[in-house]
Amino acid sequence: MDMPDVSFIVCTRSRPRRLLRAVGSIARTIETCPDLRCEIVVMENGSQPELRLDAEEIQSVSRPAECRLLWLDGGGLSVARNAAMAAARGQLFIFTDDDCTVSLSYLSELRKHLEDEGQDAIIGGSVIVPDPEDQHFTMKDAEEPQVYDPSWHPGGFVQGCNFAMTREVSLRIGPFDRRFGAGTPMRAGEDTDYLIRAHGVGVPILYFPDMRVNHYHGRTTRDEVKRLHRDYSFANGALYAKHLVQHPWLMRHFYYAARNAAKEPMGGALFDRNHDLSWSSVVKQNIAGAVAFAVRGGKKRP
């Protein structure tokens, strides 16, 4: 059997209906590029027994694309992504999540950008929240292409549910840090950590809006958004602690947050007024995350 050119990677846990929708959308974009050999790698990561799908169920929505279902007992999102990359056979890795769908033109748009920009970059695209019941959070809807530089906070510049890189780029950067991500004490931050490390080894990070992913995250209340934002801020604090020596430029972003937090009692702008998110909360969680990493996260290597 010929080895595939492209491996779509989807890590999943206890979301069978959403997973089927995600895999179906991937199969449809694969059909638009019939000259590319593609596979879909689904990494099942500790789903509840009653919410697990078998290979035949997933293959029924992925045809004619080849879909491989692999299993882990758990261990967090970074562990699952690393295992999926190790099992993937393609030369191009494309990551999305089980609560997302990719646009029909996604693969052809990505292919065009790889031809134009070269193979040595991380390339991500827009993340839209199409369900009007969901809070408009965890979005990336900038209308123009962007190139990452340290003046941006790396978190969310390219999101973990919508990015691609070649196998060679992944080897330059290394595996995801298993101390970060859903299912770990740090709760988030694995994709931000990956971008920091990519920038550190000179890998360009590019954003193109035409590579669209729809994110059906299901968070309908402000309280859910606040909890998620606390997780992000906590993980960012842990990342500041992890990268303090090698990437001290990250502390500019902590300083910016602290400066804005100091202005809030005097009428300064909130971090996000629509969701009642304060800079003070960002700073508190940053500090808590940095302390947590120093106490426990820093003792274990990725």
Side-chain angles (χ1 to χ4, degrees), residues 77-125:
L77 179 56
S78 289
V79 171
R81 283 182 172 167
N82 290 339
M85 284 197 295
R89 297 171 299 173
Q91 293 304 307
L92 177 66
F93 300 153
I94 302 174
F95 294 83
T96 191
D97 288 349
D98 60 2
D99 58 355
C100 295
T101 61
V102 301
S103 62
L104 187 63
S105 63
Y106 185 95
L107 187 54
S108 59
E109 298 291 357
L110 171 58
R111 188 179 192 181
K112 177 185 67 177
H113 296 313
L114 286 168
E115 291 171 353
D116 292 343
E117 305 295 336
Q119 303 284 319
D120 65 340
I122 287 177
I123 297 180

Side-chain angles (χ1 to χ4, degrees), residues 30-252:
I30 287 173
E31 287 186 287
T32 68
C33 298
D35 58 319
L36 285 178
R37 294 165 297 183
C38 299
E39 67 172 358
I40 306 170
V41 178
V42 174
M43 183 57 70
E44 169 62 73
N45 188 23
S47 290
Q48 300 172 36
E50 67 274 15
L51 296 177
R52 293 177 180 173
L53 297 172
D54 60 35
E56 185 175 344
E57 289 176 288
I58 297 176
Q59 189 67 53
S60 69
V61 298
S62 69
R63 293 188 180 98
E66 178 189 9
C67 184
R68 294 191 292 137
L69 175 62
L70 308 176
W71 297 83
L72 289 175
D73 292 330
L77 179 56
S78 289
V79 171
R81 283 182 172 167
N82 290 339
M85 284 197 295
R89 297 171 299 173
Q91 293 304 307
L92 177 66
F93 300 153
I94 302 174
F95 294 83
T96 191
D97 288 349
D98 60 2
D99 58 355
C100 295
T101 61
V102 301
S103 62
L104 187 63
S105 63
Y106 185 95
L107 187 54
S108 59
E109 298 291 357
L110 171 58
R111 188 179 192 181
K112 177 185 67 177
H113 296 313
L114 286 168
E115 291 171 353
D116 292 343
E117 305 295 336
Q119 303 284 319
D120 65 340
I122 287 177
I123 297 180
S126 58
V127 178
I128 309 300
V129 177
D131 190 332
E133 298 297 318
D134 289 348
Q135 294 285 314
H136 281 201
F137 198 67
T138 66
M139 293 177 61
K140 172 85 178 190
D141 59 356
E143 295 180 355
E144 298 296 328
Q146 297 172 341
V147 179
Y148 180 76
D149 69 70
S151 65
W152 302 74
H153 191 288
F157 182 84
V158 165
Q159 295 194 22
C161 64
N162 184 0
F163 81 99
M165 61 184 171
T166 62
R167 180 182 297 275
E168 289 74 18
V169 166
S170 75
L171 293 174
R172 285 179 62 187
I173 302 168
F176 287 89
D177 188 334
R178 66 173 182 261
R179 294 170 293 187
F180 292 88
T184 73
M186 299 306 166
R187 305 194 290 265
E190 80 293 337
D191 45 357
T192 304
D193 175 72
Y194 210 77
L195 296 185
I196 294 167
R197 290 160 50 206
H199 176 73
V201 297
V203 173
I205 304 165
L206 311 177
Y207 164 83
F208 294 99
D210 51 10
M211 289 169 48
R212 173 171 169 159
V213 159
N214 294 316
H215 190 191
Y216 298 90
H217 59 66
R219 299 179 185 91
T220 60
T221 68
R222 283 190 175 188
D223 285 344
E224 290 174 297
V225 169
K226 286 183 176 181
R227 286 195 295 272
L228 181 64
H229 187 248
R230 284 196 296 269
D231 288 349
Y232 287 162
S233 298
F234 185 88
N236 282 334
L239 291 172
Y240 294 153
K242 174 185 175 179
H243 293 291
L244 179 61
V245 175
Q246 288 189 309
H247 304 290
W249 53 268
L250 281 168
M251 296 309 295
R252 295 182 217 159

